Amino acid sequence: MVSVIENAHQHKPLLVQAPVRALDPDGVAVVSVGTAAFAISTGILWTAIPQLIAADQLWHLWVAATGTVMGVFGLSFGIFRSRRRKRSGDEPEAETGSVEDLGVDPDRVPDRN
């Protein structure tokens, strides 16, 4: 029988979280693309209102319009958050490529060989 003390060597995890910072922590880019897609869809569906009414599918227009409105609210919140982060000086610094700069224990990062 093997006791816990005899098997106390350092284990390396099989999967390790990659030491990568978020590209857009406030989500402004993603929300703006989604809002633009919904706005374009709303415009296209607006021109097809007679066909949508005839097919009893007018709800497509309301879904697109709701997505546009929600996207505008989300975009304004993201811009507000981004500006607040820049004012407080909490903006992440530029990447240097070093694992230690990201606050990751270098012993836990697997070798690339």
Side-chain angles (χ1 to χ4, degrees):
M1 183 164 130
V2 178
S3 71
V4 176
I5 296 172
E6 292 174 10
N7 194 16
H9 65 279
Q10 181 70 22
H11 294 282
K12 290 193 174 186
L14 195 58
L15 300 173
V16 178
Q17 175 69 38
V20 179
R21 286 194 179 115
L23 295 176
D24 186 12
D26 299 313
V28 174
V30 173
V31 174
S32 61
V33 169
T35 304
F38 272 115
I40 291 169
S41 300
T42 302
I44 292 170
L45 291 170
W46 189 269
T47 62
I49 286 178
Q51 291 90 351
L52 292 172
I53 291 173
D56 197 27
Q57 298 292 318
L58 193 60
W59 65 272
H60 290 283
L61 174 65
W62 301 121
V63 168
T66 303
T68 303
V69 171
M70 289 176 65
V72 167
F73 284 131
L75 191 58
S76 63
F77 178 73
I79 291 170
F80 166 76
R81 204 174 140 182
S82 175
R83 287 182 181 170
R84 186 179 64 189
R85 183 185 309 247
K86 287 178 183 175
R87 268 191 313 228
S88 70
D90 194 25
E91 190 68 26
E93 297 173 6
E95 297 273 341
T96 60
S98 173
V99 173
E100 290 85 6
D101 293 340
L102 295 173
V104 176
D105 182 14
D107 296 331
R108 291 189 45 97
V109 177
D111 294 332
R112 294 185 185 194
N113 298 334

XYZ file of all heavy atoms in Angstrom:
855
model
N 0.831 -1.176 0.000
C 0.000 0.000 0.000
C 0.881 1.246 0.000
O 1.845 1.334 0.738
C -0.894 -0.017 1.233
C -1.826 1.140 1.263
S -3.114 0.803 2.453
C -3.076 2.281 3.357
N 0.558 2.227 -0.837
C 1.312 3.467 -0.946
C 0.589 4.534 -0.154
O -0.598 4.774 -0.352
C 1.454 3.902 -2.421
C 2.202 5.215 -2.524
C 2.145 2.828 -3.221
N 1.313 5.173 0.733
C 0.684 6.232 1.513
C 0.782 7.554 0.758
O 1.513 7.687 -0.221
C 1.349 6.365 2.882
O 2.636 6.912 2.724
N 0.050 8.522 1.235
C 0.050 9.840 0.613
C 1.421 10.489 0.753
O 1.881 11.184 -0.148
C -1.046 10.719 1.245
C -1.002 12.126 0.673
C -2.409 10.101 1.039
N 2.087 10.252 1.835
C 3.400 10.870 2.070
C 4.438 10.310 1.093
O 5.267 11.042 0.579
C 3.849 10.641 3.528
C 2.871 11.346 4.464
C 5.263 11.162 3.745
C 3.098 11.039 5.911
N 4.385 9.021 0.781
C 5.340 8.442 -0.153
C 5.112 8.931 -1.579
O 6.019 8.933 -2.393
C 5.230 6.916 -0.109
C 5.685 6.315 1.191
C 5.411 4.827 1.221
O 5.046 4.259 0.178
O 5.559 4.232 2.291
N 3.912 9.361 -1.878
C 3.570 9.803 -3.229
C 3.392 11.330 -3.255
O 2.485 11.846 -3.882
C 2.284 9.110 -3.684
C 2.058 9.262 -5.167
O 2.962 9.607 -5.902
N 0.836 9.016 -5.606
N 4.274 12.047 -2.582
C 4.114 13.491 -2.428
C 4.928 14.296 -3.441
O 5.208 15.455 -3.207
C 4.495 13.894 -1.012
N 5.331 13.713 -4.565
C 6.103 14.474 -5.543
C 5.202 15.477 -6.267
O 3.978 15.352 -6.264
C 6.801 13.540 -6.535
C 5.861 12.761 -7.401
N 5.232 11.612 -6.965
C 5.441 12.966 -8.664
C 4.463 11.160 -7.930
N 4.570 11.956 -8.980
N 5.819 16.450 -6.892
C 5.081 17.523 -7.575
C 4.405 16.988 -8.825
O 5.048 16.405 -9.684
C 6.039 18.659 -7.935
C 5.410 19.833 -8.608
C 4.527 20.640 -7.675
O 4.673 20.575 -6.484
N 3.600 21.388 -8.235
N 3.095 17.178 -8.923
C 2.353 16.772 -10.116
C 2.205 17.965 -11.041
O 1.933 19.069 -10.608
C 0.957 16.266 -9.731
C 0.980 15.008 -8.938
N 1.186 13.783 -9.508
C 0.822 14.781 -7.613
C 1.155 12.859 -8.583
N 0.929 13.447 -7.403
N 2.381 17.716 -12.335
C 2.142 18.767 -13.315
C 0.769 18.532 -13.918
O 0.464 17.428 -14.355
C 3.212 18.762 -14.408
C 4.553 19.223 -13.908
C 5.465 19.507 -15.055
C 6.748 20.105 -14.505
N 7.618 20.536 -15.562
N -0.056 19.572 -13.965
C -1.395 19.384 -14.525
C -1.337 19.098 -16.017
O -0.429 19.535 -16.716
C -2.083 20.712 -14.247
C -0.983 21.687 -14.053
C 0.182 20.924 -13.521
N -2.322 18.359 -16.478
C -2.381 18.006 -17.883
C -2.765 19.213 -18.739
O -2.209 19.448 -19.797
C -3.404 16.883 -18.080
C -3.353 16.148 -19.397
C -1.983 15.540 -19.612
C -4.407 15.063 -19.424
N -3.721 20.000 -18.257
C -4.166 21.185 -18.974
C -3.880 22.414 -18.119
O -4.162 22.422 -16.929
C -5.662 21.115 -19.272
C -6.108 19.938 -20.135
C -7.625 19.905 -20.214
C -5.514 20.047 -21.512
N -3.332 23.454 -18.742
C -3.007 24.683 -18.036
C -3.660 25.845 -18.780
O -3.649 25.890 -20.009
C -1.469 24.899 -17.969
C -1.126 26.192 -17.284
C -0.807 23.733 -17.269
N -4.242 26.768 -18.036
C -4.844 27.952 -18.642
C -3.760 28.770 -19.349
O -2.713 29.045 -18.770
C -5.519 28.811 -17.568
C -6.064 30.116 -18.066
C -7.261 29.941 -18.975
O -8.082 29.076 -18.743
N -7.352 30.744 -20.001
N -4.009 29.152 -20.567
C -3.050 29.944 -21.323
C -2.926 31.335 -20.712
O -3.925 31.964 -20.382
C -3.478 30.065 -22.773
N -1.703 31.828 -20.543
C -1.504 33.151 -19.952
C -1.724 34.260 -20.981
O -0.795 34.882 -21.462
C -0.060 33.113 -19.470
C 0.613 32.158 -20.396
C -0.434 31.136 -20.762
N -2.993 34.504 -21.337
C -3.319 35.485 -22.365
C -4.323 36.482 -21.792
O -5.291 36.092 -21.160
C -3.939 34.793 -23.607
C -4.305 35.805 -24.668
C -2.982 33.763 -24.153
N -4.062 37.751 -22.020
C -5.004 38.781 -21.581
C -6.142 38.911 -22.588
O -6.001 38.571 -23.758
C -4.293 40.129 -21.476
C -3.387 40.216 -20.293
C -3.006 41.664 -20.057
N -2.156 41.757 -18.905
C -0.893 42.143 -18.943
N -0.350 42.473 -20.081
N -0.191 42.195 -17.841
N -7.253 39.417 -22.132
C -8.399 39.637 -23.018
C -8.056 40.727 -24.029
O -7.423 41.728 -23.683
C -9.618 40.048 -22.199
N -8.469 40.543 -25.279
C -8.186 41.537 -26.300
C -9.036 42.785 -26.117
O -8.585 43.898 -26.310
C -8.443 40.949 -27.693
C -7.527 39.799 -28.084
C -7.947 39.257 -29.443
C -6.090 40.255 -28.126
N -10.299 42.595 -25.752
C -11.214 43.710 -25.579
C -11.998 43.476 -24.285
O -13.080 42.896 -24.308
C -12.165 43.803 -26.773
C -13.061 45.024 -26.724
O -12.810 45.917 -25.907
O -14.015 45.068 -27.513
N -11.455 43.906 -23.148
C -12.111 43.590 -21.873
C -13.485 44.219 -21.711
O -14.274 43.751 -20.910
C -11.134 44.118 -20.825
C -10.304 45.120 -21.519
C -10.242 44.697 -22.953
N -13.796 45.278 -22.449
C -15.090 45.931 -22.314
C -16.097 45.451 -23.346
O -17.272 45.791 -23.264
C -14.921 47.453 -22.430
C -14.022 47.974 -21.333
O -14.229 47.589 -20.172
O -13.102 48.750 -21.641
N -15.680 44.702 -24.345
C -16.587 44.136 -25.327
C -17.126 45.117 -26.349
O -18.121 44.827 -27.009
N -16.498 46.269 -26.495
C -17.020 47.293 -27.405
C -16.995 46.803 -28.853
O -17.963 47.015 -29.596
C -16.233 48.614 -27.244
C -16.664 49.640 -28.269
C -16.411 49.160 -25.838
N -15.947 46.138 -29.262
C -15.838 45.696 -30.653
C -16.903 44.649 -30.991
O -17.573 44.740 -32.028
C -14.449 45.120 -30.911
N -17.086 43.686 -30.122
C -18.059 42.619 -30.387
C -19.478 43.169 -30.395
O -20.277 42.842 -31.276
C -17.911 41.507 -29.320
C -19.007 40.478 -29.458
C -16.558 40.859 -29.433
N -19.798 44.013 -29.426
C -21.156 44.564 -29.342
C -21.433 45.484 -30.523
O -22.545 45.503 -31.053
C -21.363 45.287 -27.994
C -22.704 45.985 -27.943
C -21.247 44.301 -26.841
N -20.436 46.231 -30.966
C -20.664 47.128 -32.100
C -20.907 46.339 -33.385
O -21.759 46.727 -34.203
C -19.496 48.100 -32.266
O -18.306 47.402 -32.525
N -20.221 45.220 -33.577
C -20.459 44.386 -34.765
C -21.865 43.787 -34.708
O -22.596 43.794 -35.713
C -19.386 43.283 -34.879
C -19.762 42.250 -35.921
C -18.034 43.889 -35.203
N -22.263 43.282 -33.554
C -23.602 42.718 -33.417
C -24.691 43.756 -33.612
O -25.716 43.494 -34.258
N -24.476 44.952 -33.062
C -25.457 46.028 -33.218
C -25.579 46.434 -34.681
O -26.684 46.661 -35.182
C -25.064 47.239 -32.353
O -24.937 46.809 -31.000
C -26.088 48.342 -32.436
N -24.454 46.521 -35.370
C -24.489 46.875 -36.794
C -25.225 45.808 -37.599
O -26.020 46.131 -38.501
C -23.069 47.052 -37.324
N -25.010 44.537 -37.263
C -25.704 43.454 -37.981
C -27.211 43.536 -37.756
O -28.000 43.373 -38.704
C -25.170 42.097 -37.526
N -27.622 43.797 -36.522
C -29.053 43.928 -36.250
C -29.631 45.166 -36.940
O -30.763 45.136 -37.432
C -29.314 44.002 -34.746
C -29.492 42.657 -34.099
C -28.595 42.192 -33.170
C -30.583 41.863 -34.418
C -28.767 40.968 -32.563
C -30.765 40.634 -33.817
C -29.851 40.175 -32.882
N -28.864 46.259 -36.966
C -29.360 47.475 -37.613
C -29.538 47.262 -39.119
O -30.539 47.699 -39.704
C -28.406 48.637 -37.348
N -28.599 46.588 -39.746
C -28.713 46.283 -41.179
C -29.911 45.373 -41.428
O -30.692 45.584 -42.369
C -27.404 45.664 -41.706
C -26.297 46.720 -41.698
C -27.592 45.063 -43.089
C -24.908 46.168 -41.938
N -30.080 44.373 -40.566
C -31.229 43.477 -40.696
C -32.544 44.227 -40.543
O -33.514 43.965 -41.269
C -31.158 42.362 -39.653
O -29.994 41.611 -39.823
N -32.584 45.173 -39.598
C -33.791 45.967 -39.402
C -34.107 46.774 -40.658
O -35.265 46.842 -41.095
C -33.630 46.909 -38.193
O -33.340 46.121 -37.040
C -34.883 47.719 -37.948
N -33.089 47.377 -41.248
C -33.297 48.158 -42.471
C -33.803 47.312 -43.618
O -34.723 47.705 -44.357
N -33.227 46.128 -43.784
C -33.658 45.239 -44.866
C -35.090 44.770 -44.640
O -35.922 44.772 -45.556
C -32.688 44.039 -44.991
C -31.326 44.528 -45.494
C -33.259 42.960 -45.899
C -30.241 43.483 -45.435
N -35.382 44.382 -43.394
C -36.738 43.904 -43.098
C -37.768 45.024 -43.164
O -38.935 44.781 -43.479
C -36.764 43.232 -41.725
C -36.015 41.906 -41.641
C -35.889 41.451 -40.199
C -36.704 40.857 -42.490
N -37.349 46.256 -42.882
C -38.267 47.399 -42.957
C -38.770 47.585 -44.387
O -39.926 47.940 -44.602
C -37.566 48.658 -42.456
C -38.490 49.811 -42.289
C -38.797 50.769 -43.207
C -39.251 50.120 -41.125
N -39.692 51.664 -42.696
C -39.986 51.284 -41.405
C -39.376 49.531 -39.879
C -40.826 51.864 -40.484
C -40.211 50.113 -38.949
C -40.931 51.265 -39.261
N -37.874 47.330 -45.351
C -38.287 47.483 -46.753
C -39.209 46.355 -47.200
O -39.881 46.484 -48.221
C -37.054 47.527 -47.686
O -36.351 46.283 -47.579
C -36.135 48.678 -47.319
N -39.251 45.269 -46.451
C -40.058 44.109 -46.836
C -41.289 43.943 -45.951
O -41.796 42.827 -45.810
C -39.194 42.856 -46.780
N -41.768 45.024 -45.362
C -42.923 44.925 -44.462
C -44.154 44.315 -45.144
O -44.799 43.434 -44.564
C -43.250 46.299 -43.831
C -42.204 46.630 -42.769
C -44.632 46.302 -43.203
C -42.398 47.973 -42.109
N -44.512 44.704 -46.375
C -45.705 44.084 -46.991
C -45.577 42.562 -47.149
O -46.528 41.829 -46.892
C -45.810 44.765 -48.358
C -45.065 46.051 -48.202
C -43.994 45.792 -47.208
N -44.387 42.093 -47.537
C -44.190 40.655 -47.686
C -44.236 39.950 -46.327
O -44.744 38.834 -46.203
C -42.846 40.348 -48.369
C -42.793 40.751 -49.811
C -42.291 42.194 -49.999
O -42.144 42.941 -49.027
N -42.079 42.578 -51.239
N -43.688 40.604 -45.295
C -43.710 40.006 -43.963
C -45.132 39.910 -43.422
O -45.500 38.915 -42.791
C -42.832 40.813 -42.996
C -41.326 40.769 -43.247
C -40.610 41.754 -42.339
C -40.797 39.366 -43.031
N -45.938 40.940 -43.670
C -47.331 40.912 -43.220
C -48.102 39.826 -43.960
O -48.881 39.077 -43.351
C -47.989 42.296 -43.411
C -47.368 43.290 -42.434
C -49.495 42.208 -43.211
C -47.819 44.718 -42.643
N -47.865 39.701 -45.263
C -48.557 38.685 -46.056
C -48.201 37.274 -45.598
O -49.044 36.375 -45.605
C -48.229 38.851 -47.539
N -46.970 37.090 -45.179
C -46.525 35.766 -44.727
C -46.720 35.570 -43.225
O -46.340 34.528 -42.687
C -45.054 35.573 -45.066
N -47.296 36.565 -42.547
C -47.511 36.528 -41.099
C -46.180 36.301 -40.360
O -46.081 35.512 -39.425
C -48.532 35.460 -40.722
C -49.072 35.671 -39.316
O -49.072 36.829 -38.852
O -49.485 34.673 -38.683
N -45.145 36.995 -40.807
C -43.802 36.874 -40.227
C -43.248 38.230 -39.788
O -42.036 38.448 -39.801
C -42.846 36.245 -41.252
C -43.219 34.849 -41.669
C -43.042 33.862 -40.535
O -42.058 33.916 -39.810
N -44.007 32.977 -40.372
N -44.115 39.128 -39.391
C -43.677 40.467 -38.985
C -42.809 40.447 -37.734
O -42.043 41.381 -37.489
C -44.896 41.371 -38.775
C -44.638 42.872 -38.646
C -43.956 43.399 -39.903
C -45.925 43.623 -38.379
N -42.859 39.378 -36.987
C -42.067 39.291 -35.768
C -40.569 39.356 -36.058
O -39.778 39.769 -35.198
C -42.418 38.029 -34.980
C -42.077 36.750 -35.680
C -42.852 36.053 -36.552
C -40.854 36.023 -35.558
N -42.192 34.938 -36.996
C -40.960 34.885 -36.392
C -39.687 36.199 -34.845
C -39.947 33.955 -36.516
C -38.674 35.274 -34.965
C -38.809 34.161 -35.794
N -40.152 38.978 -37.262
C -38.736 39.079 -37.625
C -38.254 40.528 -37.525
O -37.150 40.794 -37.045
C -38.497 38.556 -39.049
C -38.657 37.085 -39.178
N -37.710 36.193 -38.759
C -39.674 36.345 -39.704
C -38.113 34.969 -39.017
N -39.313 35.035 -39.592
N -39.075 41.452 -37.979
C -38.725 42.870 -37.905
C -38.579 43.306 -36.453
O -37.646 44.026 -36.111
C -39.786 43.719 -38.618
C -39.615 45.236 -38.488
C -38.345 45.682 -39.170
C -40.825 45.948 -39.049
N -39.498 42.876 -35.591
C -39.446 43.301 -34.194
C -38.256 42.692 -33.459
O -37.675 43.326 -32.573
C -40.762 42.984 -33.489
C -41.915 43.660 -34.157
C -43.008 43.069 -34.701
C -42.050 45.063 -34.414
N -43.825 44.011 -35.273
C -43.259 45.249 -35.111
C -41.278 46.189 -34.126
C -43.710 46.498 -35.514
C -41.735 47.424 -34.537
C -42.927 47.576 -35.213
N -37.877 41.492 -33.822
C -36.679 40.886 -33.224
C -35.437 41.682 -33.622
O -34.576 41.988 -32.799
C -36.540 39.403 -33.635
C -35.179 38.856 -33.260
C -37.638 38.580 -32.989
N -35.335 42.038 -34.903
C -34.182 42.806 -35.375
C -34.150 44.193 -34.733
O -33.082 44.677 -34.335
C -34.209 42.923 -36.896
N -35.317 44.836 -34.612
C -35.373 46.163 -33.992
C -35.002 46.083 -32.512
O -34.266 46.934 -31.996
C -36.762 46.761 -34.166
N -35.472 45.055 -31.823
C -35.133 44.880 -30.408
C -33.640 44.617 -30.236
O -33.006 45.142 -29.324
C -35.952 43.719 -29.812
O -37.339 43.994 -29.992
C -35.655 43.541 -28.346
N -33.064 43.810 -31.115
C -31.619 43.565 -31.061
C -30.825 44.835 -31.279
O -29.790 45.053 -30.633
N -31.295 45.696 -32.162
C -30.614 46.967 -32.401
C -30.669 47.850 -31.164
O -29.654 48.414 -30.745
C -31.255 47.704 -33.598
O -31.196 46.858 -34.745
C -30.526 49.000 -33.887
N -31.845 47.956 -30.559
C -31.989 48.799 -29.362
C -31.147 48.253 -28.208
O -30.440 49.011 -27.523
C -33.476 48.915 -28.961
C -33.631 49.589 -27.607
C -34.242 49.676 -30.026
N -31.191 46.948 -28.002
C -30.382 46.354 -26.931
C -28.892 46.543 -27.208
O -28.100 46.774 -26.287
C -30.715 44.872 -26.789
C -32.081 44.625 -26.200
S -32.512 42.880 -26.145
C -31.315 42.263 -24.992
N -28.495 46.450 -28.471
C -27.096 46.660 -28.829
C -26.640 48.083 -28.567
O -25.521 48.314 -28.130
N -27.527 49.057 -28.822
C -27.177 50.451 -28.551
C -26.970 50.652 -27.053
O -26.017 51.318 -26.625
C -28.260 51.404 -29.109
C -28.091 52.811 -28.576
C -28.219 51.398 -30.626
N -27.851 50.056 -26.240
C -27.669 50.153 -24.791
C -26.373 49.472 -24.348
O -25.619 50.002 -23.540
C -28.857 49.548 -24.040
C -30.074 50.411 -24.030
C -31.307 49.882 -24.372
C -30.005 51.749 -23.690
C -32.440 50.671 -24.378
C -31.133 52.555 -23.687
C -32.354 52.014 -24.031
N -26.108 48.286 -24.886
C -24.881 47.570 -24.545
C -23.639 48.311 -24.992
O -22.625 48.348 -24.285
N -23.699 48.916 -26.158
C -22.566 49.677 -26.670
C -22.304 50.911 -25.822
O -21.154 51.219 -25.500
C -22.824 50.075 -28.121
C -21.667 50.661 -28.911
C -20.504 49.691 -28.943
C -22.115 50.984 -30.320
N -23.372 51.596 -25.419
C -23.171 52.772 -24.565
C -22.588 52.371 -23.213
O -21.723 53.062 -22.670
C -24.482 53.538 -24.392
O -25.430 52.734 -23.734
N -23.031 51.236 -22.670
C -22.462 50.768 -21.400
C -20.996 50.389 -21.560
O -20.166 50.698 -20.704
C -23.264 49.576 -20.869
C -22.712 49.022 -19.594
C -22.865 49.713 -18.405
C -22.029 47.821 -19.584
C -22.356 49.211 -17.223
C -21.509 47.311 -18.414
C -21.676 48.004 -17.226
N -20.651 49.718 -22.661
C -19.264 49.333 -22.895
C -18.356 50.535 -23.073
O -17.227 50.563 -22.565
N -18.827 51.552 -23.784
C -18.030 52.772 -23.965
C -17.867 53.490 -22.631
O -16.772 53.953 -22.290
C -18.680 53.679 -25.024
C -18.549 53.026 -26.398
C -18.048 55.061 -25.023
C -19.355 53.714 -27.488
N -18.941 53.553 -21.843
C -18.862 54.161 -20.513
C -17.837 53.438 -19.649
O -17.000 54.050 -18.990
C -20.239 54.122 -19.840
C -20.219 54.416 -18.376
C -20.061 55.714 -17.915
C -20.346 53.394 -17.455
C -20.036 55.986 -16.563
C -20.327 53.648 -16.113
C -20.171 54.946 -15.654
N -17.873 52.117 -19.683
C -16.945 51.320 -18.883
C -15.504 51.501 -19.345
O -14.579 51.583 -18.538
C -17.361 49.861 -19.021
C -16.941 49.013 -17.900
C -17.510 47.648 -18.056
N -16.450 46.748 -17.641
C -16.508 45.466 -17.660
N -17.568 44.878 -18.103
N -15.515 44.743 -17.244
N -15.310 51.564 -20.657
C -13.967 51.753 -21.202
C -13.397 53.106 -20.797
O -12.233 53.209 -20.402
C -14.023 51.637 -22.723
O -12.782 51.922 -23.293
N -14.214 54.152 -20.879
C -13.743 55.481 -20.490
C -13.447 55.545 -19.004
O -12.475 56.170 -18.575
C -14.769 56.536 -20.875
C -14.821 56.778 -22.351
C -15.808 57.853 -22.696
N -15.850 58.062 -24.139
C -16.747 58.789 -24.745
N -17.691 59.393 -24.048
N -16.717 58.922 -26.043
N -14.292 54.919 -18.190
C -14.057 54.912 -16.748
C -12.765 54.174 -16.414
O -11.997 54.598 -15.557
C -15.235 54.245 -16.032
C -15.130 54.340 -14.521
C -16.310 53.714 -13.861
N -16.311 52.287 -14.163
C -17.298 51.467 -13.886
N -18.395 51.936 -13.337
N -17.213 50.196 -14.174
N -12.486 53.078 -17.124
C -11.260 52.319 -16.890
C -10.027 53.154 -17.266
O -9.020 53.133 -16.576
C -11.293 51.037 -17.706
C -10.111 50.140 -17.476
C -10.162 48.957 -18.394
N -11.441 48.293 -18.323
C -11.627 47.075 -17.842
N -10.608 46.397 -17.410
N -12.815 46.535 -17.829
N -10.115 53.895 -18.370
C -8.980 54.726 -18.790
C -8.744 55.878 -17.831
O -7.603 56.252 -17.562
C -9.212 55.249 -20.204
C -9.057 54.169 -21.246
C -9.325 54.690 -22.637
C -9.230 53.548 -23.628
N -9.594 53.946 -24.970
N -9.837 56.465 -17.306
C -9.691 57.559 -16.342
C -9.056 57.095 -15.050
O -8.257 57.801 -14.447
C -11.055 58.164 -16.017
C -11.431 59.318 -16.874
C -12.638 59.979 -16.298
N -13.631 58.952 -15.969
C -14.910 58.988 -16.280
N -15.388 60.034 -16.885
N -15.717 58.016 -15.976
N -9.397 55.897 -14.588
C -8.875 55.412 -13.308
C -7.461 54.865 -13.436
O -6.841 54.545 -12.440
C -9.795 54.340 -12.736
O -9.720 53.163 -13.504
N -6.958 54.734 -14.658
C -5.597 54.231 -14.854
C -5.516 52.726 -14.729
O -4.447 52.182 -14.506
N -6.635 52.042 -14.866
C -6.677 50.591 -14.726
C -6.508 49.888 -16.066
O -6.794 48.717 -16.208
C -8.004 50.177 -14.086
C -7.985 48.738 -13.598
O -6.890 48.236 -13.321
O -9.071 48.142 -13.495
N -6.027 50.624 -17.062
C -5.846 50.071 -18.409
C -4.687 49.071 -18.384
O -3.618 49.349 -17.856
C -5.546 51.199 -19.393
C -5.566 50.785 -20.831
C -6.959 50.411 -21.322
O -7.945 50.900 -20.769
O -7.036 49.614 -22.260
N -4.856 47.863 -18.961
C -3.772 46.896 -18.997
C -2.591 47.426 -19.816
O -2.773 48.114 -20.809
C -4.373 45.665 -19.662
C -5.777 45.974 -19.970
C -6.064 47.374 -19.569
N -1.402 47.082 -19.349
C -0.194 47.522 -20.047
C 0.048 46.660 -21.276
O -0.547 45.606 -21.444
C 0.999 47.428 -19.098
C 0.860 48.356 -17.908
C 1.961 48.141 -16.900
O 2.879 47.364 -17.184
O 1.890 48.757 -15.836
N 0.960 47.109 -22.119
C 1.258 46.385 -23.349
C 1.908 45.045 -23.026
O 2.623 44.894 -22.043
C 2.200 47.213 -24.217
N 1.664 44.071 -23.883
C 2.226 42.739 -23.701
C 3.740 42.778 -23.896
O 4.244 43.397 -24.817
C 1.622 41.777 -24.734
C 0.152 41.579 -24.592
C -0.184 40.469 -23.617
O 0.699 39.643 -23.348
O -1.314 40.443 -23.138
N 4.460 42.098 -23.007
C 5.905 42.013 -23.158
C 6.328 40.620 -23.573
O 7.467 40.398 -23.909
C 6.614 42.380 -21.839
O 6.177 41.469 -20.827
C 6.311 43.803 -21.450
N 5.408 39.678 -23.495
C 5.721 38.324 -23.910
C 6.265 37.469 -22.789
O 6.502 36.295 -22.964
N 6.482 38.010 -21.608
C 7.027 37.265 -20.500
C 5.903 36.683 -19.657
O 4.908 37.351 -19.358
C 7.897 38.184 -19.640
O 8.296 37.515 -18.469
N 6.068 35.439 -19.242
C 5.062 34.772 -18.428
C 4.992 35.407 -17.044
O 3.926 35.560 -16.472
C 5.386 33.261 -18.320
C 4.468 32.571 -17.344
C 5.309 32.618 -19.680
N 6.124 35.827 -16.514
C 6.150 36.428 -15.190
C 5.365 37.739 -15.162
O 4.748 38.084 -14.171
C 7.592 36.679 -14.722
C 8.367 35.415 -14.398
C 9.006 34.787 -15.629
O 8.942 35.386 -16.735
O 9.541 33.678 -15.494
N 5.386 38.498 -16.279
C 4.654 39.767 -16.335
C 3.148 39.556 -16.264
O 2.410 40.460 -15.886
C 4.995 40.530 -17.621
C 6.441 40.994 -17.635
O 7.039 41.075 -16.545
O 6.957 41.270 -18.722
N 2.684 38.373 -16.638
C 1.259 38.103 -16.619
C 0.795 37.552 -15.272
O -0.364 37.246 -15.100
C 0.900 37.108 -17.724
C 1.119 37.612 -19.138
C 0.905 36.491 -20.128
C 0.197 38.769 -19.436
N 1.710 37.395 -14.330
C 1.345 36.906 -13.017
C 1.139 35.401 -12.974
O 0.402 34.898 -12.140
N 1.809 34.666 -13.865
C 1.675 33.214 -13.925
C 2.955 32.602 -13.397
O 4.058 33.065 -13.691
C 1.430 32.757 -15.383
C 1.395 31.254 -15.479
C 0.164 33.377 -15.908
N 2.805 31.552 -12.605
C 3.961 30.840 -12.080
C 4.666 30.126 -13.236
O 4.069 29.275 -13.895
C 3.505 29.830 -11.029
C 4.655 29.091 -10.391
O 5.810 29.532 -10.549
O 4.398 28.068 -9.727
N 5.937 30.466 -13.530
C 6.616 29.857 -14.682
C 6.792 28.353 -14.539
O 6.947 27.653 -15.534
C 7.962 30.578 -14.755
C 8.092 31.346 -13.506
C 6.763 31.460 -12.867
N 6.747 27.815 -13.317
C 6.896 26.371 -13.140
C 5.639 25.624 -13.577
O 5.686 24.434 -13.850
C 7.186 26.051 -11.671
C 8.523 26.633 -11.224
O 9.416 26.758 -12.092
O 8.646 26.979 -10.050
N 4.503 26.324 -13.656
C 3.252 25.678 -14.048
C 3.004 25.746 -15.543
O 2.050 25.158 -16.030
C 2.087 26.321 -13.304
C 2.113 26.021 -11.823
C 0.871 26.467 -11.135
N -0.362 26.144 -11.806
C -1.145 25.115 -11.560
N -0.793 24.249 -10.645
N -2.267 24.940 -12.217
N 3.847 26.477 -16.270
C 3.679 26.568 -17.722
C 4.411 25.410 -18.368
O 5.590 25.206 -18.134
C 4.233 27.921 -18.242
C 4.131 27.982 -19.752
C 3.513 29.062 -17.585
N 3.725 24.600 -19.189
C 4.380 23.454 -19.806
C 5.437 23.884 -20.829
O 5.343 24.944 -21.429
C 3.238 22.698 -20.485
C 2.143 23.685 -20.632
C 2.327 24.704 -19.562
N 6.440 23.043 -20.973
C 7.487 23.308 -21.968
C 6.890 23.220 -23.361
O 5.979 22.450 -23.624
C 8.631 22.285 -21.831
C 9.352 22.451 -20.515
O 9.370 23.583 -19.986
O 9.877 21.443 -20.014
N 7.447 23.994 -24.283
C 6.938 23.993 -25.659
C 7.686 23.009 -26.541
O 7.480 22.962 -27.724
C 7.046 25.402 -26.253
C 6.148 26.372 -25.550
C 6.187 27.694 -26.217
N 5.391 28.651 -25.450
C 5.000 29.808 -25.884
N 5.323 30.179 -27.086
N 4.309 30.608 -25.137
N 8.568 22.232 -25.989
C 9.350 21.279 -26.768
C 8.603 20.004 -26.988
O 7.860 19.494 -26.334
C 10.693 20.972 -26.089
C 11.508 22.240 -25.987
O 11.343 23.151 -26.769
N 12.406 22.270 -25.026
